[in-house]
Amino acid sequence: MKLLMHRVSLERQLVLVFAVVALFMGGYEFLKEWIFQGRLSSWQSHLITILVTAALAAAASAYTRQWLLLLQAKLNETRAVSKFNKTLLYATPSPMAVYSNDGQCVDANDAFVSLVGTSRGWLVEQHDISIWKEVGLEADFRQVQMTGNALSRELQDATMFGKEMWIEYLITPIHDADGHLLIQFTDLTTAKRLELGLRHLAFHDTLTNLPNRRLFFDRLEHALLNRKRSGARLAVLFIDLNRFKQVNDTHGHEAGDQMLIEASRRMQQVLRVSDTVARVGGDEFVVLLEMPNDADSAVWDSVSIVSDKIRQALVAPYQLGAITYMGSASIGIKIVTDNDATADEILQYADAAMYRDKQRHTAGA
C-alpha cells in the first residue's frame, strides 16, 4: 500500500483526499462522473473505492457506537425517572392512581388502595374509570383527555366504593406517549362533617334541635320574596308556653328542658314537612306557614285549623320525670297581606297578638 501511495503524485493525492471528503458529503456520483472521468487509472479508482469504503465503515461504526451509547443513556434516564415516579407515587400520603387512556387503572399507591378497601392487584386487573360514571368523574376524565388540561372537582355526599363520603379529586394528564392520567383524591369527609356540624349549631337550637331565630328569619325573608313573585300567602304563629317559669322554678331546669323538648316534638307532629317551627326564646316558638293564593277567609280558616291543632297538642299532659304537668299555650297569628312588611315587623305583629291571647287566657283562668 505504501509503494502504491509513493507512486501517486502530489496532485493525485490531493484529488484522492478531495474524493474522500466529497464522498462523505454525499457526492459519490459527482466524483464518478466529473473528477474520475478520464483522469484516474483503473487501479487508482479501485484504491479510492477501498479508501472511501474504509472511511465510511469507520465513520459508520463510530456513529453507531455513539448512537448506541446515547440510546443506552436515554434508556437509563427513562428507567431512573420511571423508578423515581413510582417511588414518589407509593410514598405520597394522598390517595393517587394512574390510569391508561382507556380508563383502566395501571398503578396505585397504598393510600388509594386503603381508600378503595381492596388490593392493588384487584385495582390493576378489574378497576376502571366507569364506576364513577354516575357522579361525573368519568366525564371529567374524558374532558381532561380531550383538552389536556388538569381538572379539579368536589363531590359532596357521594357514594364512593360503598362508602358515604365527601371527596375532592384532581385529574392531571401525564403527557407521556401512552396518554396516562393521574387522579389524586382528597378525603374531605371529616372536615365536611365538622363543617356541617358547626353550620347546624349556628342555625339550630341546641336543646330542641329546631331552627333558631337566625334560620327562621332567613326562611321568612325567602318566603316574602317568593310571595312577591307568586302571590303565595304567608302566616306566622307566635307561641308561648303558659306558666313555663313555674315549671322551672318548682321542678328545676331539667324538667323545664324536658317540657321544651316534648313541646317541640308535638308541634312537629301536627305540622307539615314544608312548615317551619323554630325556637326563638326560652319558652317561645314561631311557626311559618306558606299557603296558596286563596281568598282571605279561606286562608284564615286554614291558619285557624293549624293553630287549634297546635293548641290541642300542647295542652295534653306532660310527663316530666316523676311528675305530670298540665300545660297550655298562648298563640298569636299574623297573616301577611302587605308586600312591604319586613320580617321584623311581621314577627312583632305576631308577638303582640300572642300577648293579647295570653291576657285573654289569664282573664279566663
Side-chain angles (χ1 to χ4, degrees):
M1 181 69 69
K2 289 182 179 181
L3 293 175
L4 291 173
M5 291 298 297
H6 283 305
R7 293 175 55 184
V8 180
S9 65
L10 178 59
E11 179 182 357
R12 302 285 182 156
Q13 292 180 39
L14 290 174
V15 171
L16 292 175
V17 171
F18 183 79
V20 173
V21 174
L23 189 59
F24 269 107
M25 296 175 63
Y28 182 69
E29 292 297 326
F30 171 77
L31 291 172
K32 285 176 60 180
E33 296 184 8
W34 186 77
I35 298 178
F36 295 160
Q37 186 175 7
R39 298 193 179 190
L40 299 177
S41 62
S42 176
W43 68 268
Q44 290 173 333
S45 297
H46 289 310
L47 178 60
I48 291 175
T49 301
I50 293 172
L51 291 174
V52 169
T53 301
L56 286 174
S61 177
Y63 178 79
T64 301
R65 284 197 302 273
Q66 184 180 9
W67 184 82
L68 289 174
L69 289 173
L70 290 174
L71 179 61
Q72 185 63 46
K74 190 65 176 178
L75 290 174
N76 290 339
E77 180 183 353
T78 302
R79 293 192 187 101
V81 171
S82 177
K83 183 179 179 180
F84 174 78
N85 290 340
K86 186 178 287 290
T87 302
L88 186 64
L89 174 68
Y90 290 167
T92 302
S94 299
M96 300 175 70
V98 179
Y99 289 81
S100 61
N101 59 3
D102 62 355
Q104 180 66 39
C105 180
V106 297
D107 207 349
N109 62 6
D110 292 338
F112 186 84
V113 172
S114 177
L115 178 70
V116 176
T118 184
S119 65
R120 184 176 286 105
W122 181 89
L123 286 172
V124 173
E125 292 175 5
Q126 302 186 38
H127 173 59
D128 63 69
I129 206 72
S130 63
I131 69 167
W132 288 308
K133 184 175 183 178
E134 294 184 2
V135 297
L137 193 150
E138 183 185 17
D140 289 341
F141 183 92
R142 302 305 178 193
Q143 181 177 338
V144 172
Q145 282 184 314
M146 290 187 295
T147 64
N149 299 322
L151 188 150
S152 176
R153 197 181 304 278
E154 182 179 308
L155 296 177
Q156 297 184 12
D157 203 16
T159 302
M160 305 291 292
F161 316 113
K163 301 177 182 179
E164 291 292 330
M165 61 194 310
W166 286 260
I167 65 162
E168 181 183 37
Y169 60 82
L170 173 64
I171 307 175
T172 306
I174 299 179
H175 297 299
D176 61 354
D178 297 320
H180 289 109
L181 283 86
L182 177 70
I183 303 183
Q184 177 179 350
F185 293 92
T186 302
D187 188 353
L188 305 176
T189 305
T190 301
K192 282 293 182 180
R193 286 176 178 168
L194 178 60
E195 178 185 335
L196 291 176
L198 293 174
R199 183 181 300 174
H200 186 84
L201 289 174
F203 291 99
H204 291 79
D205 176 54
T206 55
L207 178 64
T208 63
N209 205 34
L210 292 177
N212 58 15
R213 177 182 290 268
R214 182 179 179 184
L215 181 55
F216 177 80
F217 270 97
D218 181 71
R219 292 184 180 179
L220 178 55
E221 288 171 353
H222 277 85
L224 289 172
L225 290 175
N226 182 55
R227 168 175 163 72
K228 290 182 178 181
R229 292 192 299 265
S230 65
R233 306 302 298 272
L234 303 178
V236 172
L237 282 65
F238 202 110
I239 304 163
D240 181 85
L241 302 181
N242 296 326
R243 300 186 303 277
F244 176 75
K245 186 176 184 300
Q246 181 181 341
V247 175
N248 267 339
D249 294 343
T250 305
H251 304 290
H253 290 287
E254 184 176 351
D257 289 349
Q258 291 178 12
M259 185 175 179
L260 290 172
I261 294 171
E262 177 61 17
S264 302
R265 186 189 66 80
R266 293 179 184 183
M267 284 186 283
Q268 286 178 302
Q269 283 186 330
V270 299
L271 292 171
R272 302 170 301 178
V273 176
S274 59
D275 299 329
T276 296
V277 54
R279 184 187 177 200
V280 295
D283 61 343
E284 295 177 336
F285 300 84
V286 286
V287 173
L288 173 62
L289 305 176
E290 296 186 63
M291 298 160 289
N293 188 12
D294 293 331
D296 290 348
S297 58
V299 172
W300 180 257
D301 289 342
S302 298
V303 175
S304 297
I305 292 173
V306 174
S307 176
D308 290 340
K309 287 182 178 180
I310 294 174
R311 197 184 300 274
Q312 291 171 10
L314 296 178
V315 299
Y318 291 85
Q319 191 64 43
L320 307 176
I323 66 168
T324 301
Y325 180 79
M326 301 300 295
S328 64
S330 299
I331 303 176
I333 299 173
K334 170 58 180 175
I335 296 177
V336 179
T337 57
D338 185 0
N339 285 337
D340 295 327
T342 66
D344 283 324
E345 291 171 342
I346 292 170
L347 201 62
Q348 289 172 9
Y349 294 149
D351 188 14
M354 182 274 296
Y355 274 106
R356 290 193 294 270
D357 186 60
K358 183 180 286 289
Q359 289 172 353
R360 288 192 295 270
H361 181 83
T362 302

